[in-house]
Short mmCIF file of all heavy atoms in Angstrom, two decimals:
data_model
loop_
_atom_site.label_atom_id
_atom_site.label_comp_id
_atom_site.label_asym_id
_atom_site.label_seq_id
_atom_site.Cartn_x
_atom_site.Cartn_y
_atom_site.Cartn_z
N LEU T 1129 -11.45 26.02 8.03
CA LEU T 1129 -10.21 26.35 8.73
C LEU T 1129 -9.07 26.68 7.76
O LEU T 1129 -7.93 26.89 8.17
CB LEU T 1129 -9.79 25.19 9.64
CG LEU T 1129 -10.78 24.79 10.74
CD1 LEU T 1129 -10.28 23.56 11.48
CD2 LEU T 1129 -10.99 25.95 11.70
N GLY T 1130 -9.37 26.69 6.46
CA GLY T 1130 -8.35 26.98 5.46
C GLY T 1130 -7.43 25.81 5.17
O GLY T 1130 -6.31 25.99 4.70
N LEU T 1131 -7.90 24.59 5.45
CA LEU T 1131 -7.11 23.38 5.21
C LEU T 1131 -7.69 22.66 3.99
O LEU T 1131 -8.82 22.18 4.05
CB LEU T 1131 -7.15 22.47 6.44
CG LEU T 1131 -6.69 23.10 7.76
CD1 LEU T 1131 -6.97 22.15 8.92
CD2 LEU T 1131 -5.23 23.47 7.70
N ILE T 1132 -6.94 22.60 2.90
CA ILE T 1132 -7.47 21.98 1.68
C ILE T 1132 -6.74 20.67 1.39
O ILE T 1132 -5.55 20.53 1.62
CB ILE T 1132 -7.41 22.93 0.46
CG1 ILE T 1132 -5.98 23.38 0.16
CG2 ILE T 1132 -8.33 24.11 0.64
CD1 ILE T 1132 -5.83 24.14 -1.14
N ASN T 1133 -7.51 19.73 0.87
CA ASN T 1133 -7.04 18.38 0.54
C ASN T 1133 -6.04 18.45 -0.61
O ASN T 1133 -6.27 19.13 -1.60
CB ASN T 1133 -8.26 17.53 0.17
CG ASN T 1133 -7.94 16.08 -0.06
OD1 ASN T 1133 -6.79 15.69 -0.23
ND2 ASN T 1133 -8.97 15.27 -0.09
N ILE T 1134 -4.95 17.70 -0.48
CA ILE T 1134 -3.90 17.65 -1.51
C ILE T 1134 -4.47 17.23 -2.87
O ILE T 1134 -3.95 17.63 -3.90
CB ILE T 1134 -2.76 16.69 -1.09
CG1 ILE T 1134 -1.60 16.67 -2.10
CG2 ILE T 1134 -3.26 15.28 -0.87
CD1 ILE T 1134 -0.75 17.86 -2.07
N SER T 1135 -5.55 16.47 -2.88
CA SER T 1135 -6.11 16.01 -4.16
C SER T 1135 -7.21 16.91 -4.69
O SER T 1135 -7.80 16.62 -5.72
CB SER T 1135 -6.61 14.57 -4.03
OG SER T 1135 -7.65 14.51 -3.07
N SER T 1136 -7.48 18.04 -4.03
CA SER T 1136 -8.50 18.97 -4.52
C SER T 1136 -7.99 19.69 -5.77
O SER T 1136 -6.77 19.83 -5.96
CB SER T 1136 -8.86 19.99 -3.44
OG SER T 1136 -7.76 20.85 -3.20
N PRO T 1137 -8.90 20.16 -6.62
CA PRO T 1137 -8.46 20.84 -7.85
C PRO T 1137 -7.56 22.04 -7.59
O PRO T 1137 -6.57 22.24 -8.30
CB PRO T 1137 -9.78 21.28 -8.50
CG PRO T 1137 -10.79 20.31 -7.98
CD PRO T 1137 -10.35 19.98 -6.58
N ILE T 1138 -7.86 22.82 -6.56
CA ILE T 1138 -7.04 24.01 -6.32
C ILE T 1138 -5.64 23.63 -5.82
O ILE T 1138 -4.64 24.20 -6.24
CB ILE T 1138 -7.73 25.01 -5.36
CG1 ILE T 1138 -6.97 26.33 -5.34
CG2 ILE T 1138 -7.89 24.44 -3.97
CD1 ILE T 1138 -7.73 27.48 -4.75
N ALA T 1139 -5.56 22.61 -4.97
CA ALA T 1139 -4.25 22.17 -4.48
C ALA T 1139 -3.41 21.60 -5.62
O ALA T 1139 -2.21 21.88 -5.73
CB ALA T 1139 -4.41 21.14 -3.36
N ARG T 1140 -4.05 20.81 -6.47
CA ARG T 1140 -3.31 20.24 -7.62
C ARG T 1140 -2.79 21.35 -8.54
O ARG T 1140 -1.71 21.24 -9.11
CB ARG T 1140 -4.20 19.28 -8.39
CG ARG T 1140 -4.43 17.97 -7.64
CD ARG T 1140 -5.03 16.89 -8.53
NE ARG T 1140 -6.09 17.35 -9.39
CZ ARG T 1140 -7.38 17.09 -9.23
NH1 ARG T 1140 -7.79 16.35 -8.23
NH2 ARG T 1140 -8.28 17.55 -10.06
N ALA T 1141 -3.58 22.43 -8.68
CA ALA T 1141 -3.15 23.54 -9.54
C ALA T 1141 -2.00 24.32 -8.90
O ALA T 1141 -1.19 24.91 -9.62
CB ALA T 1141 -4.33 24.47 -9.81
N LEU T 1142 -1.92 24.32 -7.57
CA LEU T 1142 -0.90 25.09 -6.87
C LEU T 1142 0.45 24.38 -6.74
O LEU T 1142 1.50 25.03 -6.72
CB LEU T 1142 -1.39 25.46 -5.47
CG LEU T 1142 -2.56 26.45 -5.40
CD1 LEU T 1142 -3.08 26.53 -3.97
CD2 LEU T 1142 -2.13 27.81 -5.91
#
Side-chain angles (χ1 to χ4, degrees):
L1129 299 176
L1131 304 172
I1132 59 171
N1133 186 345
I1134 183 75
S1135 61
S1136 68
I1138 191 164
R1140 287 194 316 253
L1142 292 171

